[in-house]
PDB file of all heavy atoms in Angstrom:
ATOM      1  N   SER B 500      58.554 103.104  77.639  1.00  0.00           N
ATOM      2  CA  SER B 500      59.019 102.518  76.385  1.00  0.00           C
ATOM      3  C   SER B 500      58.263 101.234  76.102  1.00  0.00           C
ATOM      4  O   SER B 500      57.808 100.545  77.012  1.00  0.00           O
ATOM      5  CB  SER B 500      60.525 102.216  76.481  1.00  0.00           C
ATOM      6  OG  SER B 500      60.940 101.411  75.407  1.00  0.00           O
ATOM      7  N   SER B 501      58.135 100.928  74.833  1.00  0.00           N
ATOM      8  CA  SER B 501      57.473  99.676  74.458  1.00  0.00           C
ATOM      9  C   SER B 501      58.506  98.595  74.169  1.00  0.00           C
ATOM     10  O   SER B 501      58.172  97.487  73.793  1.00  0.00           O
ATOM     11  CB  SER B 501      56.598  99.904  73.238  1.00  0.00           C
ATOM     12  OG  SER B 501      57.401 100.424  72.198  1.00  0.00           O
ATOM     13  N   ASN B 502      59.777  98.959  74.327  1.00  0.00           N
ATOM     14  CA  ASN B 502      60.845  98.009  74.017  1.00  0.00           C
ATOM     15  C   ASN B 502      61.671  97.773  75.280  1.00  0.00           C
ATOM     16  O   ASN B 502      62.660  98.475  75.529  1.00  0.00           O
ATOM     17  CB  ASN B 502      61.698  98.590  72.877  1.00  0.00           C
ATOM     18  CG  ASN B 502      62.788  97.640  72.439  1.00  0.00           C
ATOM     19  OD1 ASN B 502      63.156  96.717  73.159  1.00  0.00           O
ATOM     20  ND2 ASN B 502      63.317  97.862  71.247  1.00  0.00           N
ATOM     21  N   VAL B 503      61.240  96.822  76.092  1.00  0.00           N
ATOM     22  CA  VAL B 503      61.881  96.586  77.393  1.00  0.00           C
ATOM     23  C   VAL B 503      62.434  95.160  77.431  1.00  0.00           C
ATOM     24  O   VAL B 503      61.721  94.208  77.092  1.00  0.00           O
ATOM     25  CB  VAL B 503      60.873  96.770  78.552  1.00  0.00           C
ATOM     26  CG1 VAL B 503      61.507  96.418  79.884  1.00  0.00           C
ATOM     27  CG2 VAL B 503      60.327  98.192  78.564  1.00  0.00           C
ATOM     28  N   THR B 504      63.708  95.014  77.822  1.00  0.00           N
ATOM     29  CA  THR B 504      64.318  93.693  77.910  1.00  0.00           C
ATOM     30  C   THR B 504      64.922  93.509  79.300  1.00  0.00           C
ATOM     31  O   THR B 504      65.615  94.405  79.786  1.00  0.00           O
ATOM     32  CB  THR B 504      65.451  93.553  76.868  1.00  0.00           C
ATOM     33  OG1 THR B 504      64.939  93.918  75.588  1.00  0.00           O
ATOM     34  CG2 THR B 504      65.973  92.121  76.825  1.00  0.00           C
ATOM     35  N   GLY B 505      64.648  92.381  79.937  1.00  0.00           N
ATOM     36  CA  GLY B 505      65.323  92.045  81.185  1.00  0.00           C
ATOM     37  C   GLY B 505      66.629  91.341  80.876  1.00  0.00           C
ATOM     38  O   GLY B 505      66.743  90.599  79.906  1.00  0.00           O
ATOM     39  N   VAL B 506      67.643  91.595  81.698  1.00  0.00           N
ATOM     40  CA  VAL B 506      68.942  90.957  81.481  1.00  0.00           C
ATOM     41  C   VAL B 506      69.408  90.367  82.802  1.00  0.00           C
ATOM     42  O   VAL B 506      69.389  91.043  83.830  1.00  0.00           O
ATOM     43  CB  VAL B 506      69.977  91.977  80.972  1.00  0.00           C
ATOM     44  CG1 VAL B 506      71.360  91.383  81.004  1.00  0.00           C
ATOM     45  CG2 VAL B 506      69.643  92.411  79.559  1.00  0.00           C
ATOM     46  N   TYR B 507      69.779  89.100  82.768  1.00  0.00           N
ATOM     47  CA  TYR B 507      70.301  88.455  83.972  1.00  0.00           C
ATOM     48  C   TYR B 507      71.694  87.929  83.670  1.00  0.00           C
ATOM     49  O   TYR B 507      71.884  87.162  82.733  1.00  0.00           O
ATOM     50  CB  TYR B 507      69.378  87.299  84.391  1.00  0.00           C
ATOM     51  CG  TYR B 507      69.887  86.553  85.600  1.00  0.00           C
ATOM     52  CD1 TYR B 507      69.766  87.098  86.872  1.00  0.00           C
ATOM     53  CD2 TYR B 507      70.496  85.314  85.467  1.00  0.00           C
ATOM     54  CE1 TYR B 507      70.234  86.426  87.982  1.00  0.00           C
ATOM     55  CE2 TYR B 507      70.976  84.628  86.576  1.00  0.00           C
ATOM     56  CZ  TYR B 507      70.836  85.192  87.835  1.00  0.00           C
ATOM     57  OH  TYR B 507      71.306  84.534  88.927  1.00  0.00           O
ATOM     58  N   VAL B 508      72.680  88.373  84.448  1.00  0.00           N
ATOM     59  CA  VAL B 508      74.045  87.875  84.266  1.00  0.00           C
ATOM     60  C   VAL B 508      74.208  86.655  85.164  1.00  0.00           C
ATOM     61  O   VAL B 508      74.056  86.733  86.388  1.00  0.00           O
ATOM     62  CB  VAL B 508      75.090  88.953  84.633  1.00  0.00           C
ATOM     63  CG1 VAL B 508      76.493  88.403  84.461  1.00  0.00           C
ATOM     64  CG2 VAL B 508      74.905  90.173  83.753  1.00  0.00           C
ATOM     65  N   GLU B 509      74.516  85.535  84.533  1.00  0.00           N
ATOM     66  CA  GLU B 509      74.520  84.251  85.219  1.00  0.00           C
ATOM     67  C   GLU B 509      75.899  83.996  85.836  1.00  0.00           C
ATOM     68  O   GLU B 509      76.833  83.568  85.164  1.00  0.00           O
ATOM     69  CB  GLU B 509      74.175  83.173  84.191  1.00  0.00           C
ATOM     70  CG  GLU B 509      73.943  81.807  84.763  1.00  0.00           C
ATOM     71  CD  GLU B 509      73.640  80.819  83.645  1.00  0.00           C
ATOM     72  OE1 GLU B 509      74.385  80.783  82.637  1.00  0.00           O
ATOM     73  OE2 GLU B 509      72.677  80.068  83.771  1.00  0.00           O
ATOM     74  N   LEU B 510      76.023  84.261  87.141  1.00  0.00           N
ATOM     75  CA  LEU B 510      77.328  84.083  87.789  1.00  0.00           C
ATOM     76  C   LEU B 510      77.593  82.614  88.089  1.00  0.00           C
ATOM     77  O   LEU B 510      78.736  82.158  88.040  1.00  0.00           O
ATOM     78  CB  LEU B 510      77.391  84.893  89.082  1.00  0.00           C
ATOM     79  CG  LEU B 510      77.255  86.405  88.890  1.00  0.00           C
ATOM     80  CD1 LEU B 510      77.413  87.126  90.218  1.00  0.00           C
ATOM     81  CD2 LEU B 510      78.282  86.914  87.900  1.00  0.00           C
ATOM     82  N   GLU B 511      76.529  81.883  88.429  1.00  0.00           N
ATOM     83  CA  GLU B 511      76.693  80.449  88.679  1.00  0.00           C
ATOM     84  C   GLU B 511      76.035  79.692  87.539  1.00  0.00           C
ATOM     85  O   GLU B 511      74.849  79.899  87.270  1.00  0.00           O
ATOM     86  CB  GLU B 511      76.033  80.055  90.000  1.00  0.00           C
ATOM     87  CG  GLU B 511      76.844  80.430  91.210  1.00  0.00           C
ATOM     88  CD  GLU B 511      76.081  80.156  92.502  1.00  0.00           C
ATOM     89  OE1 GLU B 511      75.546  79.047  92.664  1.00  0.00           O
ATOM     90  OE2 GLU B 511      76.012  81.085  93.331  1.00  0.00           O
ATOM     91  N   PRO B 512      76.797  78.817  86.854  1.00  0.00           N
ATOM     92  CA  PRO B 512      76.232  78.133  85.696  1.00  0.00           C
ATOM     93  C   PRO B 512      74.908  77.458  86.070  1.00  0.00           C
ATOM     94  O   PRO B 512      74.797  76.805  87.104  1.00  0.00           O
ATOM     95  CB  PRO B 512      77.298  77.104  85.330  1.00  0.00           C
ATOM     96  CG  PRO B 512      78.560  77.641  85.901  1.00  0.00           C
ATOM     97  CD  PRO B 512      78.170  78.404  87.124  1.00  0.00           C
ATOM     98  N   GLY B 513      73.878  77.664  85.245  1.00  0.00           N
ATOM     99  CA  GLY B 513      72.604  76.990  85.464  1.00  0.00           C
ATOM    100  C   GLY B 513      71.580  77.822  86.201  1.00  0.00           C
ATOM    101  O   GLY B 513      70.380  77.511  86.162  1.00  0.00           O
ATOM    102  N   ALA B 514      72.014  78.916  86.890  1.00  0.00           N
ATOM    103  CA  ALA B 514      71.068  79.685  87.696  1.00  0.00           C
ATOM    104  C   ALA B 514      70.093  80.471  86.819  1.00  0.00           C
ATOM    105  O   ALA B 514      69.000  80.834  87.258  1.00  0.00           O
ATOM    106  CB  ALA B 514      71.823  80.635  88.628  1.00  0.00           C
ATOM    107  N   GLY B 515      70.508  80.749  85.569  1.00  0.00           N
ATOM    108  CA  GLY B 515      69.702  81.623  84.711  1.00  0.00           C
ATOM    109  C   GLY B 515      68.358  81.029  84.323  1.00  0.00           C
ATOM    110  O   GLY B 515      67.377  81.767  84.157  1.00  0.00           O
ATOM    111  N   ALA B 516      68.292  79.706  84.153  1.00  0.00           N
ATOM    112  CA  ALA B 516      67.066  79.080  83.668  1.00  0.00           C
ATOM    113  C   ALA B 516      65.897  79.365  84.618  1.00  0.00           C
ATOM    114  O   ALA B 516      64.816  79.763  84.194  1.00  0.00           O
ATOM    115  CB  ALA B 516      67.287  77.574  83.518  1.00  0.00           C
ATOM    116  N   LYS B 517      66.165  79.218  85.917  1.00  0.00           N
ATOM    117  CA  LYS B 517      65.115  79.449  86.917  1.00  0.00           C
ATOM    118  C   LYS B 517      64.651  80.905  86.890  1.00  0.00           C
ATOM    119  O   LYS B 517      63.443  81.199  86.957  1.00  0.00           O
ATOM    120  CB  LYS B 517      65.698  79.096  88.302  1.00  0.00           C
ATOM    121  CG  LYS B 517      64.814  79.464  89.489  1.00  0.00           C
ATOM    122  CD  LYS B 517      63.772  78.391  89.774  1.00  0.00           C
ATOM    123  CE  LYS B 517      62.925  78.722  91.003  1.00  0.00           C
ATOM    124  NZ  LYS B 517      61.925  79.753  90.741  1.00  0.00           N
ATOM    125  N   VAL B 518      65.605  81.834  86.791  1.00  0.00           N
ATOM    126  CA  VAL B 518      65.255  83.257  86.776  1.00  0.00           C
ATOM    127  C   VAL B 518      64.405  83.570  85.548  1.00  0.00           C
ATOM    128  O   VAL B 518      63.386  84.274  85.632  1.00  0.00           O
ATOM    129  CB  VAL B 518      66.536  84.121  86.807  1.00  0.00           C
ATOM    130  CG1 VAL B 518      66.204  85.589  86.579  1.00  0.00           C
ATOM    131  CG2 VAL B 518      67.264  83.952  88.133  1.00  0.00           C
ATOM    132  N   ALA B 519      64.808  83.031  84.386  1.00  0.00           N
ATOM    133  CA  ALA B 519      64.065  83.297  83.155  1.00  0.00           C
ATOM    134  C   ALA B 519      62.640  82.764  83.272  1.00  0.00           C
ATOM    135  O   ALA B 519      61.675  83.407  82.831  1.00  0.00           O
ATOM    136  CB  ALA B 519      64.788  82.660  81.969  1.00  0.00           C
ATOM    137  N   GLU B 520      62.500  81.607  83.893  1.00  0.00           N
ATOM    138  CA  GLU B 520      61.176  81.007  84.073  1.00  0.00           C
ATOM    139  C   GLU B 520      60.280  81.911  84.936  1.00  0.00           C
ATOM    140  O   GLU B 520      59.140  82.208  84.586  1.00  0.00           O
ATOM    141  CB  GLU B 520      61.380  79.648  84.754  1.00  0.00           C
ATOM    142  CG  GLU B 520      60.247  78.677  84.634  1.00  0.00           C
ATOM    143  CD  GLU B 520      60.637  77.386  85.344  1.00  0.00           C
ATOM    144  OE1 GLU B 520      61.584  76.710  84.874  1.00  0.00           O
ATOM    145  OE2 GLU B 520      60.030  77.095  86.385  1.00  0.00           O
ATOM    146  N   ASP B 521      60.856  82.352  86.102  1.00  0.00           N
ATOM    147  CA  ASP B 521      60.093  83.239  86.981  1.00  0.00           C
ATOM    148  C   ASP B 521      59.676  84.507  86.248  1.00  0.00           C
ATOM    149  O   ASP B 521      58.574  85.016  86.418  1.00  0.00           O
ATOM    150  CB  ASP B 521      60.938  83.625  88.207  1.00  0.00           C
ATOM    151  CG  ASP B 521      61.112  82.445  89.141  1.00  0.00           C
ATOM    152  OD1 ASP B 521      60.420  81.423  88.935  1.00  0.00           O
ATOM    153  OD2 ASP B 521      61.940  82.543  90.063  1.00  0.00           O
ATOM    154  N   TRP B 522      60.593  85.069  85.482  1.00  0.00           N
ATOM    155  CA  TRP B 522      60.324  86.307  84.741  1.00  0.00           C
ATOM    156  C   TRP B 522      59.157  86.104  83.783  1.00  0.00           C
ATOM    157  O   TRP B 522      58.243  86.931  83.706  1.00  0.00           O
ATOM    158  CB  TRP B 522      61.597  86.734  84.003  1.00  0.00           C
ATOM    159  CG  TRP B 522      61.440  87.870  83.051  1.00  0.00           C
ATOM    160  CD1 TRP B 522      60.973  87.832  81.763  1.00  0.00           C
ATOM    161  CD2 TRP B 522      61.731  89.257  83.293  1.00  0.00           C
ATOM    162  NE1 TRP B 522      60.971  89.066  81.203  1.00  0.00           N
ATOM    163  CE2 TRP B 522      61.432  89.976  82.122  1.00  0.00           C
ATOM    164  CE3 TRP B 522      62.238  89.939  84.407  1.00  0.00           C
ATOM    165  CZ2 TRP B 522      61.622  91.354  82.019  1.00  0.00           C
ATOM    166  CZ3 TRP B 522      62.424  91.312  84.284  1.00  0.00           C
ATOM    167  CH2 TRP B 522      62.119  92.005  83.108  1.00  0.00           C
ATOM    168  N   LYS B 523      59.208  84.991  83.054  1.00  0.00           N
ATOM    169  CA  LYS B 523      58.153  84.723  82.059  1.00  0.00           C
ATOM    170  C   LYS B 523      56.790  84.599  82.730  1.00  0.00           C
ATOM    171  O   LYS B 523      55.761  84.925  82.151  1.00  0.00           O
ATOM    172  CB  LYS B 523      58.481  83.418  81.304  1.00  0.00           C
ATOM    173  CG  LYS B 523      59.536  83.584  80.218  1.00  0.00           C
ATOM    174  CD  LYS B 523      58.963  84.288  78.997  1.00  0.00           C
ATOM    175  CE  LYS B 523      60.062  84.837  78.097  1.00  0.00           C
ATOM    176  NZ  LYS B 523      59.695  86.127  77.510  1.00  0.00           N
ATOM    177  N   GLU B 524      56.823  84.121  83.990  1.00  0.00           N
ATOM    178  CA  GLU B 524      55.563  83.976  84.701  1.00  0.00           C
ATOM    179  C   GLU B 524      54.917  85.336  84.976  1.00  0.00           C
ATOM    180  O   GLU B 524      53.712  85.497  84.891  1.00  0.00           O
ATOM    181  CB  GLU B 524      55.850  83.262  86.020  1.00  0.00           C
ATOM    182  CG  GLU B 524      54.735  82.383  86.528  1.00  0.00           C
ATOM    183  CD  GLU B 524      55.264  81.561  87.681  1.00  0.00           C
ATOM    184  OE1 GLU B 524      56.026  80.591  87.427  1.00  0.00           O
ATOM    185  OE2 GLU B 524      54.977  81.914  88.828  1.00  0.00           O
TER     186      GLU B 524
END
Side-chain angles (χ1 to χ4, degrees):
Chain B
S500 168
S501 57
N502 183 341
V503 175
T504 308
V506 169
Y507 178 76
V508 179
E509 188 181 49
L510 298 183
E511 283 174 49
K517 172 84 177 76
V518 171
E520 199 179 294
D521 289 349
W522 172 278
K523 281 285 163 217
E524 212 170 285

